[in-house]
Amino acid sequence: MKVYRTEQIRNVALTGHSGSGKTTLAEALLFRNGSIPKMGRTETKNTQSDYDPVEQERQISVNVSLLPVDTESHKFNIIDCPGSRDFVGDMKNGIRVAEMSLLVLDAVGAVEVGTEFAWDYSLEYQVPRAVFVNKMDKDRANFRRCLDSVAAAFETQVVALTLPIGEGTEFKGVIDLLRMKAVYEDERGVERLEEIPAAMRAEADAARKAMIEAAAEGDDELTEKFLMEEELSLEEVMRGLREDLVDGRWVPALCGSATSLKGLSILQQFLINECPSPDQRRGFHVLTDDHSAELVPFSSAGPFSAYVFKTVNDDYAGRLSLFKVVTGEVAGDGILANLNHHQQERVGHVFDVRGKAQLPVEKICTGDIGAFAKLTYTHTGDTIADPKYTGRVYEITRLPKPSAHMALHVKNRTDEDKISLTLHRILEADPTLHLERDSANAQTILHGMGDTHLEVALLRIKAAAKVEVELVPPRIAYRETITRKAEGQGKYKKQSGGRGQYGDCHIRFEPLERGGGFQFEWEIVGGVIPTNFKGSVEKGLLESIHHGTLAGFPVVDLKAACYYGSYHAVDSSDMAFQVAASLAFKEVIPKCAPVILEPFHTVTVFVPDQYMGDVMGYISQHRGRISGNESESHKVTIIAEMPQGEMLTFSRDLRSMTQGRGVYESEFSHYEAAPPPVQEKVIADAKEFAAQQAG
């Protein structure tokens, strides 16, 4: 591919709900510009964007894909973003490195949950937004309903730049309101201009007037000309549109059909004329010493620096690091610095990436997007730069906390070591996945953004490691404690010829306040047990509290005092007193009215206000306690405490209740005694689990 200057580059993120046709639209833009000889289809699993076997199997995008498109005068970096929030990491990173977020709507479905998330993330990174209403040739398509849906959902003004000529099976082309021509395109996307149909002339005149009024709104000179009823030139209208788009005063909307290539010639001209180039945008943030964000503008001057927004593990090319250049330019074949890990990286050729294809390029200029292969230390979110670069690292994309949790269960224990390297590679490529080892329950917990996210991760683990592994519900980290004081004796005496074993200790147990942990006191007087056995008694108790007498969970918040005992001058030993202490534990703890403690989490739920009642009712029905809620615009934040045992399906249930619009975050809060029915079930489940493990 040839080298493009910064002002010739257009970075456009295709965003929106899954199934709206983003991947097909990217394919159509590639085809009509000659970048590919034939359009692929998601159904036939041959698109440039969805090359991952998981994407092909599920027919949805789960990765952000880069698709550079060459035109005669410009380069489009089409960034095809996933539409599901389960893949929020790729969605946010794709939007962040773009200069425009093109929200693709299904002409029948209008605004859906994926559209709302894409809008919010575009706002977060102040990326200009435009709308393309796709699938206008689909039965029950309705352009006006889609525009009204956008205006209502986001409380914004939407201005049409094109109008459909017919809808559904009658869709034939579009009206270009800038040129005031009817545009028809053939099977290769070549446009043919004709006069606007007479039946649509009045509608087109009204829509053009609304467009010109919107274009003049943000510019005093243009506003004055408009109010004086002077004619605005095409260049003035386009300038006003561009300024309004960048400032977010209103949202331009176009329409068409990616499958039949209708409306795409006007869309492409819109991207060239109205989408800002990188040097017209704000730049990237770096973090200062006080953790505040400071803006670094895009600049061709100075040493090279770039932000790595995606890591791809390719079976043949190895690890690919996709980056956006913020300052300078890079030609490859040299040494770069990884500023996050303070390591040097030797880099080879720099190239463009089109799906899984690598396209050689001489260099990557400011604002452009490129890739390096086989970087050793560099991961998603890192800053790479020329060693002469003296700036700071770029701010890592802010990602929500995982909300879905499952345990990885390897069916054959001898295969457990095989998946460790695979897990490491998958976690490197996806920063929204987290792994945790629960030593108390001997489980490896995989944390992700949703059920689909975890299922996709599992498919990748199976494919890469070639092992039988499954996801199972994680065991809850219950605890046990005591509720009253009791005391008793633990005595260990063994004679088997020669030196025997003898240890005798009397121990008193009493409860501590929640969070008190374990305390041990030595109350021996008169030397009935020598002080040198104090550590042995304490060690025996510390080992015993890992396995309670009710269900085998660790015992917490108790105080133990060794107040009496006896010893034998010859037969007593450290081991004997450790065993004696454990016998005392098993003897006395059941007399202390032990109970099961269950973990509670602080849960913060974010939902549209119309679902507030359903969500609060669900929390109450699942033994949760609501501590407060806050409203902002049409969104509500609910704060509650819930038992972890009641949250195993909360992620799935919340999405069902809110049509996918509700999200939540949680973190551990405290332990408290479980109700008797819950205790009985926990004890029964623990016995069943122990029997299975023994088997």
Side-chain angles (χ1 to χ4, degrees):
M1 294 186 72
K2 65 180 182 181
V3 177
Y4 290 84
R5 300 186 306 276
T6 303
E7 62 270 19
Q8 296 175 296
I9 295 167
R10 302 291 184 268
N11 297 312
V12 182
L14 300 185
T15 61
H17 194 70
S18 294
S20 59
K22 302 184 296 296
T23 296
T24 304
L25 178 58
E27 197 79 3
L29 289 170
L30 287 167
F31 173 69
R32 75 177 307 276
N33 285 283
S35 298
I36 55 175
K38 181 181 178 181
M39 272 186 66
R41 299 173 58 203
T42 55
E43 296 84 358
T44 53
K45 305 177 182 180
N46 62 343
T47 64
Q48 298 292 307
S49 179
D50 289 351
Y51 59 87
D52 188 310
V54 174
E55 294 176 312
Q56 294 174 351
E57 178 182 336
R58 290 177 171 257
Q59 294 188 16
I60 61 169
S61 297
V62 301
N63 301 300
V64 62
S65 296
L66 180 63
L67 303 164
V69 179
D70 277 314
T71 71
E72 293 181 1
S73 58
H74 292 78
K75 174 188 179 184
F76 294 101
N77 284 315
I78 303 298
I79 305 161
D80 186 9
C81 297
S84 169
R85 188 184 179 275
D86 278 40
F87 309 101
V88 60
D90 276 15
M91 189 190 298
K92 291 190 74 170
N93 270 314
I95 291 171
R96 187 182 174 194
V97 298
E99 272 70 57
M100 176 187 285
S101 174
L102 184 65
L103 289 96
V104 182
L105 269 62
D106 184 318
V108 177
V111 170
E112 298 176 87
V113 59
T115 322
E116 295 175 2
F117 284 122
W119 179 276
D120 290 342
Y121 300 147
S122 302
L123 276 180
E124 180 180 349
Y125 289 104
Q126 299 181 13
V127 176
R129 297 158 301 287
V131 167
F132 181 75
V133 179
N134 193 22
K135 304 186 180 182
M136 285 303 306
D137 50 2
K138 190 176 177 182
D139 192 31
R140 294 183 292 111
N142 190 313
F143 181 61
R144 175 47 57 186
R145 184 181 64 222
C146 287
L147 269 54
D148 292 343
S149 175
V150 173
F154 307 127
E155 298 180 336
T156 187
Q157 181 184 3
V158 185
V159 178
L161 304 189
T162 62
L163 294 177
I165 302 174
E167 294 180 331
T169 56
E170 301 299 317
F171 179 62
K172 298 179 177 63
V174 299
I175 295 174
D176 182 352
L177 296 176
L178 279 171
R179 292 179 290 180
M180 286 302 283
K181 292 290 184 181
V183 181
Y184 303 94
E185 287 153 293
D186 63 17
E187 66 278 1
R188 295 201 61 84
V190 178
E191 67 175 16
R192 183 181 79 255
L193 302 182
E194 295 185 6
E195 293 303 314
I196 297 172
M200 294 191 67
R201 188 73 203 194
E203 181 185 358
D205 287 340
R208 177 177 170 81
K209 182 178 180 181
M211 178 192 70
I212 293 175
E213 181 178 358
E217 191 176 283
D219 187 293
D220 291 341
E221 179 186 344
L222 298 184
T223 301
E224 184 177 350
K225 288 187 70 173
F226 179 80
L227 293 176
M228 297 295 293
E229 298 185 353
E230 296 182 27
E231 187 73 23
L232 270 65
S233 68
L234 180 61
E235 290 74 19
E236 288 175 325
V237 173
M238 291 171 61
R239 188 187 81 207
L241 291 174
R242 184 164 50 252
E243 291 173 354
D244 289 343
L245 172 69
V246 171
D247 293 340
R249 282 191 285 269
W250 52 270
V251 178
L254 302 93
C255 63
S257 169
T259 54
S260 61
L261 303 180
K262 290 181 173 61
L264 299 198
S265 63
I266 302 175
L267 172 64
Q268 182 164 315
Q269 282 304 310
F270 167 76
L271 296 178
I272 289 174
N273 296 327
E274 311 304 332
C275 176
S277 59
D279 56 348
Q280 295 173 320
R281 292 286 293 128
R282 300 170 65 251
F284 252 57
H285 282 103
V286 296
L287 290 178
T288 61
D289 290 336
D290 61 357
H291 300 288
S292 61
E294 181 180 292
L295 198 66
V296 174
F298 292 105
S299 172
S300 57
F304 162 77
S305 70
Y307 176 77
V308 177
F309 69 94
K310 176 66 177 176
T311 303
V312 180
N313 287 315
D314 186 276
D315 290 338
Y316 301 101
R319 180 191 295 155
L320 304 180
S321 300
L322 276 61
F323 60 86
K324 178 170 182 173
V325 181
V326 183
T327 63
E329 59 184 36
V330 65
D333 293 323
I335 299 294
L336 294 179
N338 182 305
L339 303 188
N340 298 77
H341 304 291
H342 307 290
Q343 297 283 351
Q344 287 193 333
E345 294 274 24
R346 179 170 293 278
V347 298
H349 296 298
V350 65
F351 47 85
D352 271 334
V353 172
R354 180 178 294 145
K356 66 178 180 180
Q358 300 172 24
L359 312 174
V361 64
E362 180 184 336
K363 63 181 178 179
I364 302 291
C365 297
T366 307
D368 204 353
I369 295 174
F372 282 119
K374 301 178 181 178
L375 300 188
T376 304
Y377 306 102
T378 300
H379 311 303
T380 302
D382 287 352
T383 299
I384 54 174
D386 187 293
K388 298 176 182 177
Y389 179 75
T390 58
R392 299 176 181 271
V393 300
Y394 294 112
E395 182 182 20
I396 295 175
T397 302
R398 297 180 294 276
L399 299 173
K401 296 178 181 178
S403 56
H405 322 277
M406 294 292 279
L408 284 170
H409 176 244
V410 182
K411 295 183 179 180
N412 187 343
R413 292 186 178 180
T414 59
D415 290 333
E416 289 182 352
D417 291 340
K418 294 181 181 179
I419 69 169
S420 59
L421 180 59
T422 299
L423 287 171
H424 180 69
R425 292 180 63 194
I426 290 175
L427 293 175
E428 280 183 346
D430 188 349
T432 57
L433 279 174
H434 299 278
L435 205 64
E436 174 191 5
R437 181 63 184 173
D438 181 358
S439 55
N441 290 314
Q443 286 187 312
T444 299
I445 310 299
L446 187 64
H447 304 274
M449 302 310 304
D451 294 339
T452 303
H453 190 204
L454 296 183
E455 290 167 6
V456 166
L458 179 67
L459 289 174
R460 287 177 169 158
I461 293 169
K462 285 181 175 180
K466 304 292 190 298
V467 298
E468 285 297 314
V469 59
E470 61 182 353
L471 294 173
V472 299
R475 296 191 73 209
I476 305 299
Y478 293 104
R479 297 290 183 263
E480 299 180 24
T481 194
I482 58 176
T483 59
R484 66 179 179 222
K485 183 190 298 186
E487 59 186 41
Q489 179 185 22
K491 188 173 184 179
Y492 179 61
K493 183 177 181 180
K494 184 177 181 182
Q495 286 295 140
S496 57
R499 180 178 176 180
Q501 293 287 343
Y502 184 88
D504 175 26
C505 56
H506 293 242
I507 297 179
R508 180 176 61 252
F509 294 95
E510 58 185 285
L512 295 175
E513 292 184 357
R514 198 67 60 239
F518 173 74
Q519 296 179 15
F520 176 70
E521 292 188 356
W522 185 254
E523 297 180 357
I524 296 298
V525 294
V528 293
I529 303 177
T531 305
N532 59 297
F533 291 123
K534 173 185 175 182
S536 303
V537 174
E538 183 175 12
K539 184 176 180 181
L541 293 175
L542 285 170
E543 292 177 351
S544 298
I545 65 174
H546 290 299
H547 304 283
T549 59
L550 285 177
F553 293 105
V555 183
V556 297
D557 305 337
L558 79 162
K559 176 182 176 182
C562 182
Y563 61 91
Y564 189 69
S566 62
Y567 79 104
H568 188 279
V570 176
D571 292 346
S572 289
S573 66
D574 288 334
M575 180 60 69
F577 272 99
Q578 287 181 38
V579 175
S582 67
L583 293 174
F585 179 87
K586 294 175 183 177
E587 170 69 22
V588 181
I589 289 297
K591 302 175 184 178
C592 296
V595 296
I596 299 291
L597 296 177
E598 60 179 341
F600 271 68
H601 281 230
T602 298
V603 182
T604 306
V605 189
F606 309 92
V607 295
D609 53 11
Q610 67 262 38
Y611 303 111
M612 176 179 175
D614 291 339
V615 174
M616 293 178 74
Y618 178 96
I619 291 172
S620 298
Q621 291 167 12
H622 288 75
R623 299 193 291 119
R625 299 186 293 264
I626 297 168
S627 57
N629 62 80
E630 300 174 358
S631 298
E632 182 178 348
S633 187
H634 296 297
K635 299 289 182 69
V636 178
T637 301
I638 302 169
I639 302 172
E641 289 181 344
M642 288 185 70
Q644 186 182 350
E646 299 282 350
M647 294 178 60
L648 294 178
T649 62
F650 185 52
S651 176
R652 186 184 316 130
D653 294 343
L654 180 64
R655 293 192 180 197
S656 177
M657 281 185 289
T658 63
Q659 299 182 6
R661 290 172 169 83
V663 297
Y664 81 98
E665 295 180 353
S666 72
E667 60 181 358
F668 171 76
S669 174
H670 65 281
Y671 278 94
E672 62 181 70
V678 175
Q679 294 196 46
E680 292 171 6
K681 186 177 187 308
V682 170
I683 293 170
D685 290 346
K687 289 180 179 178
E688 182 182 349
F689 179 76
Q692 291 174 350
Q693 293 296 101

